[in-house]
Amino acid sequence: MTDSKPKDPTADNPGGADLVPAKPAKKHAVKPRHAASLIVWRDGAGEPEILMGMRHAKHKFMPSVLVFPGGRVDRADHGVKVAAELKPETLALLRHRAPPSLARALGVAAVRELLEETGLLLGEMKGTRLLADLSALDYLCRAVTPTTRSMRFNARFLIAPASAVRGEIAGSGELEGLDWYPLSKALDAKLANITERILVEFQAWHAATPAERAALPKIVYRGNDNRMSDE
């Protein structure tokens, strides 16, 4: 099902905010919106494949740029019932820079946006209500859009294996070309700067053992995609 006038992904997708042209600095920077993106991956021929889609080709600014499914946290994402809660280690990482209710809502938002943008279900449906399976989520890092942008996100990037999702890819029209992209091809594609950096972070996470992943440092991207410690 495709909308005749698709919503601009920059209005909701954290990867799109990186593409909004910088404006002259204001006295007070725009407060970043809390957001979550979900990196769904599967094993491919010698490398992982990532579920990604493109900004609509009809957009005047940076059309057909690959991004992850994701978007801002809605008020309705707080306190809803879920099929399974976050793993303790994922919850702890999300709570590092967020209160408990927001940490959980970030996971819900990531799963909700996945369903809305790709048609894939991570959890179960009870009537028309989504019950998210938050236990499948791992935490990667976060990124805060520079203060010079007119649209800003404090985005958390989460990870889930394709084996945890159900359904067939059926985009809403918000993203085009939804598909599984081999990591090397995704890195060679037209990307926002932050998307490229997040893919590199994922590449390191994927290559690590479970024990090594647990020891990875907390990372945040600030300013012009400056990689910093988030301790």
Side-chain angles (χ1 to χ4, degrees):
M1 183 170 63
T2 302
D3 297 332
S4 58
K5 292 183 179 179
K7 180 176 63 175
D8 184 347
T10 60
D12 191 46
N13 196 293
D18 190 63
L19 306 172
V20 179
K23 293 186 176 181
K26 296 182 179 180
K27 185 176 181 180
H28 299 291
V30 175
K31 184 178 180 180
R33 303 171 182 177
H34 292 292
S37 282
L38 188 53
I39 303 168
V40 183
W41 68 279
R42 69 184 186 185
D43 288 320
E47 62 178 326
E49 297 176 341
I50 316 297
L51 178 64
M52 302 182 75
M54 298 178 185
R55 281 170 47 82
H56 202 275
K58 293 182 179 180
H59 287 302
K60 293 181 180 179
F61 190 74
M62 296 290 280
S64 302
V65 173
L66 275 179
V67 293
F68 309 113
R72 61 178 175 265
V73 176
D74 290 343
R75 185 174 299 177
D77 295 326
H78 292 263
V80 298
K81 291 184 178 180
V82 297
E85 295 289 349
L86 291 161
K87 293 180 291 191
E89 56 270 30
T90 304
L91 178 60
L93 287 164
L94 285 169
R95 288 184 62 178
H96 180 61
R97 297 294 181 186
S101 62
L102 175 58
R104 187 176 183 272
L106 286 161
V108 172
V111 176
R112 174 182 55 75
E113 289 284 345
L114 176 71
L115 179 62
E116 292 176 358
E117 294 183 354
T118 74
L120 295 178
L121 178 62
L122 180 55
E124 59 188 78
M125 298 298 297
K126 187 172 184 179
T128 59
R129 186 173 61 179
L130 167 65
L131 299 178
D133 179 5
L134 304 183
S135 68
L137 302 178
D138 286 298
Y139 178 87
L140 184 62
C141 63
R142 71 185 181 105
V144 182
T145 313
T147 57
T148 53
R149 305 295 180 183
S150 59
M151 184 180 299
R152 302 184 65 215
F153 293 106
N154 183 353
R156 281 71 166 185
F157 291 86
L158 298 166
I159 304 170
S163 58
V165 305
R166 295 186 289 118
E168 300 293 331
I169 295 176
S172 64
E174 190 169 334
L175 298 178
E176 293 186 317
L178 283 164
D179 206 348
W180 298 96
Y181 291 82
L183 181 57
S184 59
K185 290 187 177 180
L187 285 167
D188 285 339
K190 191 176 182 182
L191 300 169
N193 290 339
I194 189 59
T195 305
E196 180 180 2
R197 285 159 175 75
I198 297 305
L199 282 171
V200 172
E201 294 289 340
F202 170 77
Q203 188 174 38
W205 178 91
H206 182 265
T209 65
E212 291 170 338
R213 291 171 185 171
L216 289 172
K218 300 182 186 72
I219 296 297
V220 59
Y221 284 86
R222 290 185 178 275
N224 292 317
D225 302 325
N226 295 312
R227 188 178 190 269
M228 305 170 64
S229 171
D230 201 20
E231 296 294 343

